[in-house]
Every structure is written in structure tokens, then in C-alpha cells.
Amino acid sequence: MFAAIRLAEAHPELSIVVAEKANIVRSGCLAAGVNALNAYITDGHTPNDYVRYALNDANGIARRDLLLTMSERLNAVTKKIESLGLVILKDADGNYIARGTRNVKINGENIKPILAAAVKNLGNVEVINHVNVVDLLSNERTVIGAWGFDVRDEKIFCLRSKATLIATGGAAGLYRPNHPGVARHTMWYCPFNTGAGYAMGIRAGAEMTTLEMRFIALRCKDTIAPTGTLAQGVGAAQINARGERYQHRYGNTTSERLNAVVSENLNGRGPCALETIGIDDAQEKNLIRAYLNMAPSQTMKWLETKTPPSIANVEIEGSEPYVVGGHTAGGYWIDRRRRTTLKGLFAAGDVAGGCPQKYVTGAFAEGEIAAESIAEFVADRDHLPLERFDAVDEIEKFFGNPRGLYSTEELEEAMQQTMDEYAGGITKNYRYNEAQLSMARRHIDRIERLSEKLRAESMYDLLKIYELRDRLTVCRALIEHLSARRETRWRCFAEHTDYPNRDPNFDCFINSRLVDGKIKIIFRDLEADCDEENL
């Protein structure tokens, strides 16, 4: 939506379509809101400081050019979203209230409705809600649009365009989550982000990067609520069952903080928690309000169990792994103008690779960059012809399949179990080896073949089939990336037990592209020139 706002305001002559799987008013990761903007250049710091922070957190595997072009816009996009109506908390002098060294506090429960209202006020933007986009349309490696279907109205959409921006969420639901059964969607990342944005690019032959740098969130146990509000809001340190503060033994990057919890538990010093006992009344009330806004299950747990944070430390655990380019670096291989390796296709936000730690404002910044790049690309450009469009035949196949032995949900659970047990999930303490990855590869291939025989009785059934298909596509690519990085650069995020140490031979980007039905691995230098003819 931020890209649409930028493009529409600067170029009223253009016609823009926003296609949304849910409804732009409440959708995706920000559907319930957020209580801080985690990427902001606070007083006394520069965009280059942010670049250094992100590079250090990624252990060197990130693109300096992408980080800098993103960081340079963080404060401007923050001002823009404030002008649209977002409440950013300020002190008595009118300055933003910082939370840590890179964050500012907001009242962000209405951030999506604010963006949606801004988009709906633009005369040259059409919003199509409830459209599940399935695949890209192309003409000789040039993307000319996409197609999808509306579950409610039972319509197929063929969306033709001079330029296409993918700005979907990352991939959740690849691995077995913390909680089984009806509670399985109690997870850190939006469960409706299936990796579709990655998957359609992979199938179209786009080059992807750094999928192996998975993201695993450190969360409050049971509720999977954020821990940053506790750590930064009241300075709560990690402690083990003995009451020891242990983080200094492991380091303080995102992956190291998670590894500290896993290691303390494995060494018999768990459970681990954030030390909140003894906080004052004002701090406790602020925490209860903050979680009520963004993760109400945590507030409800405190109230129901009568163990508020002032009298009981908050136990912590890791989530299942995700692929999400807004926190780590997995996604499309792009140039600094956010162009992918497919002509006419641009990427921003969670699906844009190489630029970790972008969070909300970084995604806005990339949306702006992509919008400006798109405006230049479409100038004096005609629509390319669509040579073939056989969506009806593909969809009817699933309605025509005989009822088989397996349901979509059963195959999804089989996929999650496979990834958990053989590709470094929760039950394996996020670790894997080459033999396990080989097993994962075989099982995912088999599940993918079985998924072609699924039967749909309704458009909702069809949606679930395509969600499974997208997740399986991402799983295939992820397995090859995990196998290709034969080192351990990030504990837990990508911990290969056959190669337990960092290897300078892998000071490179691991990229991939689908060629003749197989994932081909490509190694690229850290300082690779990613512009123009090198894409």
C-alpha cells in the first residue's frame, strides 16, 4: 500500500491495482497492529550506523547497497505515515520517544486502517480484495501480470500490467509449530502468509537469495507474544532456572539470543525466562496495556493465572522457523532499485532479499524505491501480449480429481513433520545434517506429487490446495539452500551439525534458480554488482 501511495501521488496519470488476499483494512503481519517502529534513525545515529548493525546481526551476509538505500529513507517514511494519522508517542519537547537505540514508540493498532484509508482516497488506485494470486504471467522472461481467484465470488482474475510489484509476506507454516491441533495457528508470524510471493517467483525462474538464513523468533512461552517489549521496555534480562544471567556467554545478535535459550535448556539449566520480578506498578501497567494492544493472549494469561510480571518471571521459548526477508535476508535477488532478475517484476518488504532488519518502516522505504523504479520502467512502455492463459484448465483439474486417500490438511501436517524432523525444526533444536536434509528432500518431493491429486469441493478448498503448493515450493528451495551452506554461521537459524563452525569459504551469498524442474544453486560474491546487465 505504501508503494501504491507513492506511485499514485507522484504519477496521477498511471493506473494502479492493489490485489490483496484478504482485505487491506486488516491483513497480514500488521492486521492487529504494532506498538513500535523497529527501524528508525534516532538522534545521534546515522543510516550507516544502521547498516553496520544489520550487517553484524547477519554475520556479514547482507547487501550494503540495499541496507543503505533503505536506511536513508527510514525517517522520511516515518514522517509520512505520521502525516497519514499514525500516533507516534512524543516527549514534552515534541521529540519521538525512543525504545532502545533504533526504535520509536507508537500507538499502532490502526496502522493498517490508516494505510487503507489513504489508498482508498487515491483516484487512480483500484483495490481488489479477497483475491488469492496464484502465479505470474510472463512473456519471454518478462513479467506481464499475474492471475488468481476470488474465493467469495468464485471468479478468476487475469491481471495485466506493464510492471508488477510483489510485496507479500514471507513464509509461515513450513514447519510444525509450537502448539498442535486447533492451537497450531498460535504462532509468531501471520499464518496466512504462505510464502506465495516467493513461490510464484521461484516457479517463474527468478533468482532467490539467502533462504537458508531462517528466522526463529524468541517469544513468551505458550502465548508466542513478543519479548522485545519486556527486554527493551523494562530492561528484563534473560535468566536461567538458577537465576543466572547468561547472555554474555553467547553474544547478543538475534540468533545468539535464541541460541542462548536453546543451549541453556540442553545443558539442564532451563527453563529460561525474562527477569521481571520486582518491576514497579507503573511498569507493570504499561506492559499489560502494551500486550493488550498487540498480543492480548499474554495479558490474558497474566490475569487468568494471577501471575503478573511483577511477581513471576516470563518464561521464553523459540518459535518454529520461518523464511521472512523483513527480519533476515531471504528473498528475491534484487538490485538497489528493487528490480528482480525477471524483467518487469519488482520486490519490496518481506519478499525482497539481501536486506535484513527492515521491519515496517524498511518495508515502506522499499515500497517507495520500487514505486519510483516502476514509474521509470513503465514510461512510454506498451503492454506485451499474453500468449497463453490456461488457469481454468488448471483449476478444473482439482475439482475433477477423484477423492483420494489424503486431505490437504493431512499433507500439510506431513510437510510440517518432515521439515521439523529432517530440516531443523523445534524438536531437533533447530539443527540438521546432510543425511536428514536428504530425507527431507525425498519426503517433500513425494508430498508434492501427492498434492497434485488433491480434490477441491469448494473455492476455499482450492485456496488451501494452492497454499500447500506454495509452501512445498518454498520448502524445496529452502532445503537446497540449507544444504548448500556447508558451515554454521548462525546458531539455530542455520545450524548444520556436519559443519559446526563458520567457514570463510562461505563468505558469499547462496542464491538459487529453478532450472528444468530442479533448484540450481548459485554462489555470488558479497560485493557482487547487482545492477543493470548483472541482474
Side-chain angles (χ1 to χ4, degrees):
M1 285 194 283
F2 212 89
I5 293 167
R6 174 67 173 175
L7 196 56
E9 289 180 345
H11 297 276
E13 76 281 3
L14 295 179
S15 175
I16 302 158
V17 172
V18 175
E20 164 63 46
K21 181 179 179 181
N23 187 300
I24 63 170
V25 175
R26 293 285 183 189
S27 64
C29 300
L30 297 184
V34 63
N35 73 338
L37 298 178
N38 290 331
Y40 185 80
I41 310 301
T42 55
D43 289 344
H45 297 91
T46 69
N48 277 310
D49 292 332
Y50 200 92
V51 172
R52 283 189 287 271
Y53 149 69
L55 278 168
N56 177 68
D57 203 78
N59 227 324
I61 307 300
R63 291 263 302 280
R64 292 176 183 269
D65 57 342
L66 301 182
L67 285 168
L68 184 59
T69 51
M70 178 268 290
S71 301
E72 289 172 336
R73 293 177 180 245
L74 291 175
N75 290 20
V77 297
T78 300
K79 284 289 186 185
K80 175 65 175 179
I81 189 66
E82 184 182 28
S83 73
L84 295 176
L86 181 69
V87 176
I88 303 180
L89 304 186
K90 297 177 181 178
D91 61 22
D93 297 322
N95 300 313
Y96 292 160
I97 297 176
R99 193 190 77 172
T101 58
R102 294 172 293 272
N103 311 354
V104 292
K105 295 181 178 181
I106 66 172
N107 289 342
E109 62 274 8
N110 288 319
I111 192 168
K112 265 304 183 72
I114 287 168
L115 284 167
V119 168
K120 289 177 180 178
N121 288 332
L122 298 167
N124 56 335
V125 176
E126 179 184 1
V127 177
I128 308 175
N129 289 313
H130 307 297
V131 173
N132 183 62
V133 178
V134 173
D135 262 325
L136 299 170
L137 299 171
S138 61
N139 184 331
E140 296 182 353
R141 286 190 64 78
T142 296
V143 172
I144 57 173
W147 74 272
F149 57 88
D150 186 318
V151 174
R152 296 183 175 187
D153 294 337
E154 300 188 357
K155 293 179 180 177
I156 294 174
F157 283 80
C158 177
L159 305 169
R160 296 289 311 284
S161 61
K162 294 180 181 179
T164 302
L165 170 65
I166 289 189
T168 59
L174 307 180
Y175 286 79
R176 187 160 51 192
N178 296 73
H179 305 295
V182 295
R184 67 186 182 277
H185 286 155
T186 305
M187 56 173 59
W188 166 73
Y189 198 60
C190 177
F192 311 107
N193 286 343
T194 63
Y198 299 135
M200 63 181 76
I202 292 169
R203 289 192 291 264
E207 187 170 333
M208 312 302 287
T209 189
T210 322
L211 301 180
E212 75 280 3
M213 192 195 292
R214 306 176 301 175
F215 183 73
I216 303 162
L218 185 61
R219 301 284 99 175
C220 301
K221 191 176 185 303
D222 300 327
T223 62
I224 316 299
T227 55
T229 300
L230 291 160
Q232 295 181 341
V234 298
Q238 289 189 30
I239 59 171
N240 60 25
R242 301 172 185 174
E244 301 166 335
R245 296 187 177 188
Y246 54 79
Q247 192 62 56
H248 61 280
R249 298 200 292 265
Y250 298 94
N252 202 39
T253 66
T254 307
S255 61
E256 287 168 345
R257 289 196 296 273
L258 172 70
N259 178 56
V261 175
V262 173
S263 298
E264 289 293 301
N265 285 329
L266 285 173
N267 288 314
R269 294 189 290 269
C272 296
L274 286 171
E275 190 176 24
T276 58
I277 290 177
I279 61 173
D280 61 38
D281 288 345
Q283 289 176 311
E284 183 167 270
K285 287 177 181 177
N286 285 336
L287 286 177
I288 288 172
R289 277 197 299 268
Y291 279 101
L292 193 59
N293 283 337
M294 64 175 176
S297 57
Q298 184 62 38
T299 295
M300 295 302 293
K301 181 181 179 181
W302 283 329
L303 297 176
E304 289 174 2
T305 59
K306 295 181 173 57
T307 54
S310 62
I311 65 170
N313 294 323
V314 180
E315 191 177 348
I316 53 178
E317 65 180 349
S319 69
E320 79 276 26
Y322 305 92
V323 180
V324 49
H327 285 66
T328 46
Y332 285 86
W333 184 247
I334 54 176
D335 70 0
R336 63 182 62 94
R337 298 166 69 189
R338 275 53 183 184
R339 297 178 298 184
T340 73
T341 56
L342 298 179
K343 193 173 184 180
L345 182 67
F346 301 76
D350 277 340
V351 292
C355 186
Q357 312 293 349
K358 67 186 70 155
Y359 306 115
V360 177
T361 42
F364 290 168
E366 287 197 322
E368 277 201 347
I369 295 168
E372 292 163 9
S373 199
I374 285 169
E376 183 179 324
F377 178 79
V378 300
D380 302 319
R381 185 176 181 83
D382 295 326
H383 280 288
L384 291 176
L386 177 59
E387 295 179 349
R388 189 181 65 173
F389 181 59
D390 54 4
V392 174
D393 291 339
E394 180 175 322
I395 284 175
E396 285 185 342
K397 175 189 73 175
F398 290 110
F399 285 105
N401 279 341
R403 182 170 294 282
L405 295 174
Y406 305 105
S407 68
T408 306
E409 186 170 309
E410 287 168 336
L411 290 185
E412 183 177 275
E413 288 183 1
M415 172 197 70
Q416 291 176 343
Q417 180 178 351
T418 293
M419 296 298 289
D420 178 76
E421 294 180 0
Y422 299 117
I426 293 172
T427 62
K428 301 301 179 183
N429 297 302
Y430 309 115
R431 299 168 183 179
Y432 53 87
N433 59 37
E434 202 57 41
Q436 290 171 327
L437 292 176
S438 180
M439 291 287 287
R441 190 179 291 116
R442 289 201 298 273
H443 285 310
I444 293 299
D445 285 347
R446 181 173 63 88
I447 295 168
E448 199 166 35
R449 290 194 299 272
L450 289 172
S451 71
E452 292 299 317
K453 300 176 182 179
L454 289 169
R455 176 179 172 82
E457 301 284 355
S458 67
M459 293 296 279
Y460 182 73
D461 288 346
L462 188 67
L463 170 72
K464 302 304 291 183
I465 290 171
Y466 277 109
E467 287 184 335
L468 173 63
R469 186 185 74 150
D470 289 337
R471 286 181 165 123
L472 287 167
T473 297
V474 177
C475 285
R476 284 184 59 198
L478 173 58
I479 290 165
E480 300 309 323
H481 275 252
L482 292 172
S483 178
R485 186 165 288 282
R486 300 195 166 192
E487 64 164 356
T488 294
R489 186 168 294 250
W490 314 282
R491 299 292 174 195
C492 296
F493 281 16
E495 189 159 354
H496 199 315
T497 56
D498 289 339
Y499 308 94
N501 301 309
R502 178 172 173 173
D503 186 342
N505 291 320
F506 285 91
D507 286 348
C508 63
F509 293 107
I510 291 180
N511 291 6
S512 65
R513 191 161 65 85
L514 188 66
V515 179
D516 297 327
K518 296 186 179 298
I519 303 294
K520 175 187 176 183
I521 293 295
I522 304 162
F523 296 95
R524 296 210 180 275
D525 294 337
L526 289 182
E527 302 301 327
D529 183 355
C530 305
D531 274 344
E532 299 297 340
E533 69 276 2
N534 293 311
L535 267 180

